[in-house]
Amino acid sequence: MKEKALLRIDVAGICIYSQSFIDGLHKSELHPAKGQIHHLRFTIAHYRHNPHLKDMLQRYLFSLLLFTVSLHLTAADNKLKGFVYDSSNEPVIGANIYWEQSKKGTTSNREGFFEIELTGKHEHLIVTYTGYIAQSLHIHDVDEELTVILEEDTQLLDELVISRRSPGTVTQRDALLQTQRVTRGEIHRAACCNLGESFETNPSVDVAYSDAATGAKQIKLLGLAGTYVQMLTENYPNFRGVASPFGMDYIPGAWMEGIYISKGTSSVKNGYEALAGQINVEYKKPQTMDKFSLNLFGSDALRMEANADASIHLNEGLTTALFAHYSDDTQPHDRNEDGFLDYPKTRQLNLMNRWNHEAGKYVAQYGVRYVNEQREGGQDVTHGTIDDPYTISLATNRGEFYTKQAYVLSADELAESAALIASGSVHDQQSRYDLTPYDVTQQNLYLSLLYEKDFSHMHNLSTGLSLNHDGFEEHLDNSSFNRDETVLGGYVQYAFNLHNKFILQGGIRADHSSRYGFFVTPRLHLKYNPAEWVHLRGSLGKGFRTANVLAENNYLLASSRRIEIADHLDQEEAWNAGVNATLYIPAGGREITLTGEWYHTRFLSQVVVDVDSDPHAIRFYNLQGGRSYSNSAQVELSYPFFTGFTFTAAYRYTRSMSDYRNGVTGETRFLSKPLLNDYKGLVTTSYQTPLRKWQFDLTGQFNGGGRMPTPDSSNPLWEEQFDPFTVVNGQVTRFFRNFSLYLGAENLFDFRQENPIIDAAHPRSDNFDATMVWGPVHGRKVYAGLRYNIPRY
Amino acid sequence: MKKTVLLLMIVALSTGSTSTVYAQKKEHKQKEEVTALFTLNEEICHNCKRKIEGYLPFEKGVTALAYGDDGSTVEVTYRTDRTDTLKLQKAFNKIKLEVVETRLEKQQEEK
């Protein structure tokens, strides 16, 4: 194949040379077919010294002239010719070659060769092939034979690896950081009313109720609490501080385009906070989303939910989308008849509007959003039999805005761009835990200026500045905890990429906090592919975080425990290291994906949340040189056994330990973190019929046991350990042309933590505690829904 | 109320399954099935696949759908008594995809 291509270039070379020869016989430096040119040079020299060969050379030149003319005639037959190769110089068969405006096109043959008729217009020639970056070429000389080299589009390949049936959760093959992409298809595999419920089929992320009264949800990654996981929406930090306990409920499932989960410390671009990992939610984009879609959901617990979104393309460069969500879950449920609602009655209104503006190299996005939520938990007062009931109420109003302004300085092979991200939010929560009022307002402003440049295919540099401001007005009972923190910082990140086989990315950022002074965050990521099917990754980095103990843990007020907060809490600081190997093993015409990983997080300073030293208190204090670490190891295997079928099995072992210090006795105990499963197993399968008219999903979560907070030694009211338990979810979906219906069940076998509330009969006694939750607080839930859409074709 | 909701859910889904059973019964009278190859003027991108898979399977007579190795061909198997290549080509046009070449697999000529 290569020989043929070379021959053509040789011939072209001769033609150029021979024309020059005819013009003046002296332009011997012309390119490019050196072998042939040398041959011709020899012939010319020989001619000068041997006039007898004159006839022969004349014939030779005449034939060359004829050939040249014939080539020009070929060019003059209104066709452009060329070859398409990949980066390893292999011909690309079946590449699409077409004129941008007139759309007239052709495909390349076995040799990668193509001929395309000229249109007579000035237009770009587009060359595309599945899995490769499309080329848009300006043709200067239609007579010249083209050689087009297509580069692999690694990002696209991730999506297209997937031939017939795409797996819902895709391990990002070429991402430097270990990243999983949860697609919209995956999000639709479960009831998925919101982000918190989108991880039911994911082995890496656990989401569980934090307590049995407020409905707050705690996310866990690598055995660490959700506060150590940086939440991003559209790649900027969001839902920090007071929004963290309920933020998972503020993102409706129907709004999401995809979720990206990366483990370990991430890039320094997004700040210093991601200690255990990062979760980025991408909303549907106005440019590509359907014209209109509607999602209606109802469950046997009479939870009702409606989501609608619509997009409008005002002109080629300006698009907008409106999103609306309303949910009503206000029916009281008390299955264990302890007098307390199993989960709170909730009502939420959520609205978002986003805009996208593109004008040449300038791209801008704008968005605004409003959330209103009411939660009421505690004793069930529906039947009015309780005098002076213990109730919990939370009223939340949250407003957000964001904008992203990007200017692409160069979109050539070597990209260069600058961007500004600005976001802000005001989050107000008015709450009452029985007789204790807790009111908090958090104001946040975030600015980030980024610049990025490819110096060559090997070297990339990015740098930027950021500013983050948090203001808290916080009142617990009669005490105020008002505070501000402004952090100004800058970063530099360098990436070295050796033919996508070896990638090194090192970043460092320096920040100054108005509360904690200067601190430096170094991070290093490596990726090495010894073979195409073996991807090895490693990461090492530091992370910092400011603990907002009440705002982030206010659900702990749903107990009679005393709250004790030490003075001068430190900034949290930890190292995280991780290694990961992903193997893509061909088997039976398909591919086994096998992933093994290990992550270790070690805290240098931490705000300890201690519910162990005193069964009647919650204490927040500094680790002060004590030990605190977390180890997490996971193996995951995926294999599509047959067409339309996906299968994933995973097992994770987690060990998270910390020193707990008794302030009274001075005794320190080194214990595993309470209410954390020792392990988690997950098996998830999905089958789609050939024409994707039906889909069947089944997921089993096998949760390990763990340690309960230390009970009162004189009056133990709960066990020291909790047992392993299994939760199974299933769903059937029937697709129609513009709508689908789904019916499913969460927790099919109806497993429940029977009595999650301690001393529920006496909520104002010293023993009352609604925070001892380790398992599902509600049993089986049967649900059904409808998704309708008007596609944008 | 709970039971009513459950009942409604089951009825809604069973409507879908009943129609499938009915369709399967009708397949006994099935006529000839052929596969036509539709080459588009562009590479079948991720979004194109989404459009194709959301629309074509619900076109009357379509029984299978696959993609050719060249990256721009869609292989549609259909019952000749229920649809034809012209109707299918119109279906592609409806989702704003342009067919530049249509041919039948195994040189079968459509009746």
Side-chain angles (χ1 to χ4, degrees):
Chain A
M1 241 46 115
K2 281 180 195 169
E3 278 171 16
K4 278 189 185 176
L6 193 64
L7 191 64
R8 278 177 181 275
I9 295 166
D10 285 351
V11 171
I14 291 172
C15 295
I16 294 165
Y17 193 92
S18 61
Q19 268 199 312
S20 317
F21 179 74
I22 290 156
D23 290 344
L25 282 172
H26 297 301
K27 294 176 184 170
S28 55
E29 289 82 20
L30 286 172
H31 56 95
K34 288 179 182 159
Q36 290 289 347
I37 290 170
H38 287 158
H39 175 61
L40 205 59
R41 275 181 192 156
F42 167 77
T43 316
I44 295 160
H46 203 56
Y47 161 74
R48 281 175 181 161
H49 296 101
N50 188 354
H52 299 292
L53 290 173
K54 188 178 175 183
D55 284 350
M56 207 175 84
L57 186 58
Q58 267 179 346
R59 273 201 297 274
Y60 186 60
L61 284 174
F62 183 70
S63 61
L64 271 178
L65 181 64
L66 268 183
F67 190 45
T68 310
V69 172
S70 72
L71 268 189
H72 277 263
L73 281 176
T74 321
D77 69 358
N78 280 338
K79 280 186 179 170
L80 173 72
K81 297 173 183 179
F83 286 85
V84 186
Y85 298 107
D86 65 10
S87 49
S88 56
N89 253 344
E90 290 298 318
V92 176
I93 305 163
N96 294 295
I97 300 108
Y98 61 92
W99 296 105
E100 191 175 26
Q101 288 168 20
S102 53
K103 303 284 181 204
K104 283 184 180 165
T106 184
T107 53
S108 55
N109 67 13
R110 283 171 182 280
E111 280 94 37
F113 179 71
F114 67 87
E115 286 183 333
I116 184 166
E117 283 195 30
L118 300 171
T119 59
K121 292 181 198 168
H122 266 291
E123 51 182 323
H124 279 84
L125 185 74
I126 311 293
V127 184
T128 66
Y129 188 68
T130 314
Y132 289 78
I133 296 167
Q135 290 249 22
S136 173
L137 306 166
H138 184 255
I139 306 299
H140 298 282
D141 183 359
V142 292
D143 298 340
E144 197 178 310
E145 199 170 68
L146 279 179
T147 302
V148 183
I149 308 289
L150 289 181
E151 296 285 336
E152 268 189 50
D153 185 346
T154 49
Q155 240 180 339
L156 191 67
L157 269 181
D158 278 336
E159 290 169 20
L160 297 176
V161 162
I162 350 172
S163 52
R164 298 285 191 268
R165 167 88 201 270
S166 49
T169 302
V170 184
T171 302
Q172 296 279 92
R173 201 175 284 227
D174 289 286
L176 173 62
L177 279 64
Q178 190 197 349
T179 310
Q180 280 190 326
R181 182 169 57 90
V182 180
T183 63
R184 206 186 317 168
E186 183 75 1
I187 295 166
H188 287 176
R189 286 186 57 202
C192 270
C193 295
N194 54 51
L195 178 64
E197 287 156 334
S198 303
F199 299 109
E200 284 177 358
T201 54
N202 190 290
S204 303
V205 183
D206 297 333
V207 181
Y209 280 114
S210 304
D211 66 282
T214 66
K217 283 186 185 130
Q218 176 87 274
I219 188 172
K220 284 181 185 125
L221 187 69
L222 307 183
L224 293 171
T227 43
Y228 298 112
V229 181
Q230 188 178 34
M231 278 295 309
L232 306 170
T233 53
E234 298 282 323
N235 243 336
Y236 65 86
N238 206 344
F239 304 119
R240 299 165 61 259
V242 66
S244 59
F246 304 102
M248 307 294 282
D249 289 352
Y250 298 155
I251 303 181
W255 293 11
M256 293 188 282
E257 179 71 43
I259 307 165
Y260 292 79
I261 305 159
S262 60
K263 295 182 195 173
T265 52
S266 52
S267 156
V268 289
K269 279 183 190 176
N270 289 321
Y272 46 83
E273 281 187 332
L275 277 167
Q278 208 175 54
I279 295 176
N280 177 35
V281 174
E282 290 287 324
Y283 295 120
K284 289 180 186 171
K285 315 283 177 230
Q287 309 94 295
T288 53
M289 61 193 273
D290 292 328
K291 284 179 182 166
F292 174 76
S293 62
L294 176 73
N295 171 225
L296 299 174
F297 168 97
S299 77
D300 63 339
L302 299 181
R303 170 177 168 179
M304 299 295 167
E305 187 166 325
N307 295 285
D309 55 69
S311 68
I312 302 166
H313 290 194
L314 294 164
N315 58 46
E316 210 169 275
L318 188 64
T319 52
T320 184
L322 189 66
F323 300 77
H325 160 95
Y326 179 74
S327 57
D328 185 307
D329 193 4
T330 50
Q331 292 298 314
H333 299 281
D334 180 17
R335 280 233 356 229
N336 61 357
E337 297 180 343
D338 64 355
F340 270 76
L341 296 172
D342 295 335
Y343 48 93
K345 297 189 279 184
T346 308
R347 185 178 283 138
Q348 189 190 97
L349 174 71
N350 202 332
L351 299 167
M352 181 168 78
N353 177 220
R354 60 181 299 185
W355 291 79
N356 191 77
H357 178 222
E358 289 177 30
K361 291 181 169 182
Y362 169 71
V363 183
Q365 288 181 24
Y366 306 88
V368 288
R369 177 168 182 193
Y370 170 70
V371 184
N372 173 280
E373 191 184 67
Q374 310 289 329
R375 286 171 187 263
E376 283 174 25
Q379 286 185 307
D380 183 6
V381 292
T382 319
H383 309 296
T385 51
I386 303 169
D387 292 330
D388 193 17
Y390 180 105
T391 58
I392 293 170
S393 66
L394 293 97
T396 302
N397 281 290
R398 178 181 173 87
E400 285 176 31
F401 83 91
Y402 84 92
T403 178
K404 285 183 178 181
Q405 310 280 327
Y407 187 78
V408 182
L409 298 159
S410 166
D412 298 335
E413 279 186 40
L414 302 176
E416 184 181 6
S417 61
L420 173 74
I421 299 172
S423 70
S425 64
V426 178
H427 187 114
D428 178 68
Q429 179 187 314
Q430 306 289 317
S431 43
R432 177 171 280 273
Y433 289 84
D434 190 31
L435 305 172
T436 310
Y438 172 71
D439 299 332
V440 56
T441 303
Q442 181 184 358
Q443 294 176 324
N444 172 261
L445 178 70
Y446 172 76
L447 295 170
S448 174
L449 186 65
L450 306 99
Y451 170 78
E452 190 159 345
K453 181 174 170 63
D454 290 330
F455 286 95
S456 72
H457 290 296
M458 273 189 192
H459 307 285
N460 168 284
L461 189 78
S462 46
T463 181
L465 295 168
S466 68
L467 175 95
N468 187 70
H469 173 81
D470 284 307
F472 286 88
E473 283 175 33
E474 196 172 38
H475 308 280
L476 175 66
D477 224 349
N478 293 319
S479 311
S480 289
F481 301 90
N482 296 346
R483 64 196 178 279
D484 287 287
E485 185 184 16
T486 303
V487 183
L488 179 66
Y491 74 87
V492 181
Q493 182 176 278
Y494 164 75
F496 172 77
N497 185 334
L498 187 67
H499 312 304
N500 282 330
K501 278 221 145 207
F502 175 77
I503 306 173
L504 176 151
Q505 181 183 286
I508 190 159
R509 59 177 300 137
D511 293 88
H512 179 266
S513 158
S514 58
R515 289 179 68 191
Y516 298 108
F518 272 106
F519 57 100
V520 175
T521 315
R523 287 178 184 180
L524 177 72
H525 297 92
L526 299 166
K527 181 169 186 276
Y528 175 52
N529 305 347
E532 206 168 292
W533 57 280
V534 182
H535 293 233
L536 307 174
R537 291 180 180 86
S539 71
L540 175 68
K542 220 175 195 190
F544 293 86
R545 206 183 76 85
T546 299
N548 297 293
V549 289
L550 279 178
E552 290 159 2
N553 300 287
N554 70 79
Y555 59 86
L556 292 173
L557 295 170
S559 76
S560 297
R561 288 174 182 254
R562 296 184 312 279
I563 305 281
E564 295 175 13
I565 304 171
D567 293 334
H568 310 298
L569 292 177
D570 291 339
Q571 184 185 33
E572 297 189 300
E573 179 182 359
W575 281 102
N576 178 293
V579 286
N580 158 272
T582 308
L583 311 180
Y584 300 92
I585 306 161
R590 298 168 204 279
E591 201 173 57
I592 297 173
T593 307
L594 183 64
T595 306
E597 65 179 49
W598 174 81
Y599 285 90
H600 174 78
T601 314
R602 181 169 291 272
F603 283 89
L604 303 179
S605 69
Q606 187 180 22
V607 174
V608 178
V609 182
D610 184 353
V611 287
D612 274 285
S613 300
D614 184 343
H616 300 290
I618 303 161
R619 301 176 58 235
F620 300 94
Y621 52 84
N622 293 321
L623 191 61
Q624 274 180 342
R627 294 161 294 174
S628 176
Y629 68 78
S630 172
N631 285 323
S632 173
Q634 183 171 312
V635 284
E636 187 177 333
L637 180 142
S638 298
Y639 187 66
F641 282 93
F642 49 89
T643 306
F645 187 77
T646 64
F647 170 88
T648 299
Y651 177 84
R652 190 188 68 232
Y653 171 79
T654 311
R655 192 82 176 150
S656 204
M657 304 287 292
S658 180
D659 272 339
Y660 294 98
R661 196 173 57 249
N662 189 321
V664 180
T665 62
E667 180 199 8
T668 297
R669 292 188 298 162
F670 190 52
L671 300 171
S672 63
K673 288 192 180 150
L675 302 171
L676 188 71
N677 307 100
D678 289 338
Y679 66 86
K680 181 180 176 182
L682 183 108
V683 175
T684 178
T685 61
S686 182
Y687 175 68
Q688 251 178 23
T689 54
L691 283 174
R692 197 180 162 260
K693 290 187 176 176
W694 287 90
Q695 182 174 316
F696 305 89
D697 293 288
L698 194 65
T699 300
Q701 299 168 352
F702 309 95
N703 301 282
R707 188 179 72 81
M708 294 290 289
T710 312
D712 193 332
S713 54
S714 55
N715 179 25
L717 292 171
W718 61 83
E719 301 290 326
E720 290 189 350
Q721 300 282 326
F722 62 90
D723 294 328
F725 62 94
T726 300
V727 174
V728 176
N729 303 322
Q731 184 177 292
V732 179
T733 311
R734 171 73 167 106
F735 294 94
F736 298 89
R737 180 165 276 170
N738 287 332
F739 70 99
S740 58
L741 297 169
Y742 56 94
L743 172 66
E746 280 180 58
N747 197 354
L748 260 171
F749 299 110
D750 204 22
F751 176 82
R752 283 183 304 131
Q753 180 183 347
E754 271 298 324
N755 293 302
I757 299 178
I758 309 300
D759 205 7
H762 308 98
R764 293 192 183 100
S765 75
D766 285 349
N767 295 324
F768 172 76
D769 198 337
T771 66
M772 298 289 109
V773 178
W774 49 264
V777 292
H778 54 73
R780 179 172 43 241
K781 270 188 185 175
V782 180
Y783 61 88
L786 160 86
R787 294 187 189 101
Y788 169 76
N789 65 323
I790 301 173
R792 181 180 298 284
Y793 291 129
Chain B
M1 183 64 183
K2 268 189 185 182
K3 281 182 182 169
T4 319
V5 173
L6 247 175
L7 199 67
L8 279 174
M9 293 173 189
I10 291 162
V11 168
L13 272 169
S14 59
T15 318
S17 56
T18 319
S19 65
T20 314
V21 172
Y22 178 66
Q24 280 168 353
K25 277 182 187 166
K26 275 186 84 178
E27 274 176 19
H28 289 298
K29 298 195 287 177
Q30 185 179 321
K31 302 275 169 61
E32 193 187 3
E33 266 192 13
V34 294
T35 299
L37 311 180
F38 296 90
T39 304
L40 308 183
N41 72 332
E42 58 183 312
E43 173 200 340
I44 303 168
C45 62
H46 188 62
N47 197 36
C48 304
K49 272 194 178 177
R50 199 167 63 87
K51 290 201 279 188
I52 293 164
E53 288 166 14
Y55 196 86
L56 263 291
F58 303 101
E59 196 64 18
K60 200 175 165 188
V62 172
T63 56
L65 196 66
Y67 298 98
D69 294 332
D70 63 354
S72 58
T73 300
V74 188
E75 301 174 8
V76 184
T77 308
Y78 62 92
R79 283 178 50 182
T80 52
D81 61 320
R82 304 186 83 179
T83 189
D84 55 46
T85 50
L86 275 180
K87 283 181 188 161
L88 292 172
Q89 196 163 326
K90 276 185 189 162
F92 277 102
N93 294 340
K94 195 119 185 169
I95 52 175
K96 302 264 171 72
L97 293 174
E98 194 186 328
V99 177
V100 289
E101 191 185 344
T102 306
R103 59 191 191 281
L104 291 177
E105 208 175 47
K106 296 175 192 168
Q107 314 300 319
Q108 284 170 297
E109 287 301 321
E110 217 183 323
K111 289 170 189 175

